[in-house]
Amino acid sequence: MATNKWSIIFLIAIVAALATSVSAKVFIVGDHKGWTLNFDYQAWANGKKFVVGDKLVFQYAAGKHNVFRVNGTVFQQCMIPPAIEALTSGYDVITLATPGRKWYICGVGKHCELGGMKLFINVLPQSMPPVPSVSPPPSGKVFVVGDDKGWTLNFDYQAWATGKEFVVGDRLAFRYPMGKHNVFGVNGTSFQQCTIPSSNEARTSGYDVITLATPGRKWYICGVGKHCEMGMKLFINVVPQSAYAYPPPPYHRTRKLAPPKF
């Protein structure tokens, strides 16, 4: 009886861990704008469902902003907590570990009061999904463009891409100092001619993650100055995700019966 009890507890723990790993989402606060001045973060949060296990990522230029976790009163009055409580890395990841209301502000200058750098969300408990009957497909790979060099000048991005297989569901992460570069998704002609699209199409967060949602050719450039002409351009080909290959059923040899004797 004791063995059965512990087996059940162990199974529940595995299912809970599976549920957390499969369902957890990562929210880049402000999307490609990041954590910055003069942005409506409540409008950004509207319609989003935040669940225990999800993560918030605050992206900003380190030293220019910060992040404080506060309560409702401090949030309303933009009261700044002690400096030692600040998150200051420029890429602050906060796991939503408990349900309930959560408040975040920037504590630099008047950024909270006048710049709108404050965010309120409500985190819901995690519901237990049904156990899948088959294993889910593997999650996509994340390619940091340029590896440790990131998205920068004087780097051969086509050489970097050579030999890599990009599959639907994979992600490209363009990492660079915010304000120094940007990222545009373009077509083949704009890629060849380094034609810069409208500025409102730029990704500018400094850590731009692009999910490769469809197969085919993809082109990316930097639209700052002459950076594209100086080599900040990347072309890749995305292949479809292959279907699961299930093993064939076991082979059973048919016994050959001897003819009856009369």
Side-chain angles (χ1 to χ4, degrees):
M1 182 66 71
T3 301
N4 290 340
K5 177 182 177 181
W6 285 111
S7 297
I8 293 171
I9 293 173
F10 182 67
L11 178 61
I12 292 173
I14 290 176
V15 172
L18 176 63
T20 300
S21 63
V22 170
S23 62
K25 295 180 181 178
V26 177
F27 293 94
I28 307 293
V29 176
D31 296 327
H32 67 281
K33 293 293 185 182
W35 186 233
T36 188
L37 293 166
N38 304 316
F39 185 86
D40 189 341
Y41 289 98
Q42 288 318 123
W44 171 83
N46 283 344
K48 292 180 172 63
K49 182 179 178 181
F50 302 95
V51 179
V52 168
D54 290 346
K55 292 179 173 61
L56 296 180
V57 179
F58 291 82
Q59 293 181 348
Y60 55 93
K64 190 173 182 181
H65 305 297
N66 58 27
V67 181
F68 283 95
R69 289 174 275 204
V70 297
N71 59 34
T73 302
V74 173
F75 179 85
Q76 290 293 337
Q77 300 177 9
C78 284
M79 299 166 57
I80 310 305
I84 59 172
E85 298 180 20
L87 303 174
T88 60
S89 73
Y91 191 82
D92 304 324
V93 181
I94 298 175
T95 300
L96 304 175
T98 58
R101 298 177 178 181
K102 312 292 178 184
W103 299 269
Y104 306 95
I105 65 173
C106 177
V108 175
K110 298 290 184 180
H111 292 189
C112 177
E113 299 98 317
L114 304 179
M117 294 187 69
K118 53 197 302 188
L119 169 66
F120 160 69
I121 63 172
N122 189 39
V123 181
L124 303 176
Q126 189 178 68
S127 58
M128 187 70 71
V131 178
S133 57
V134 295
S135 299
S139 58
K141 296 179 182 178
V142 177
F143 293 93
V144 178
V145 175
D147 296 327
D148 60 320
K149 294 293 184 182
W151 186 232
T152 188
L153 293 166
N154 304 316
F155 186 86
D156 188 342
Y157 289 98
Q158 288 318 123
W160 171 83
T162 299
K164 292 180 173 64
E165 183 181 46
F166 302 96
V167 180
V168 168
D170 289 347
R171 285 166 287 175
L172 298 180
F174 291 82
R175 183 170 53 84
Y176 55 92
M178 189 165 60
K180 190 172 182 180
H181 305 299
N182 59 27
V183 181
F184 285 94
V186 296
N187 58 31
T189 302
S190 296
F191 179 84
Q192 291 293 338
Q193 300 177 3
C194 284
T195 303
I196 310 304
S198 172
S199 60
N200 61 10
E201 298 178 25
R203 294 176 171 87
T204 59
S205 73
Y207 193 84
D208 304 323
V209 180
I210 298 174
T211 300
L212 304 175
T214 58
R217 298 176 178 180
K218 312 292 177 184
W219 300 269
Y220 305 96
I221 65 174
C222 177
V224 175
K226 296 292 183 180
H227 292 189
C228 176
E229 290 89 336
M230 296 169 68
M232 289 189 70
K233 54 197 303 188
L234 169 66
F235 160 69
I236 63 171
N237 188 44
V238 181
V239 299
Q241 192 175 62
S242 58
Y244 267 112
Y246 290 96
Y251 172 72
H252 297 285
R253 178 178 294 176
T254 303
R255 180 184 296 176
K256 188 175 181 180
L257 299 177
K261 295 181 179 180
F262 297 98

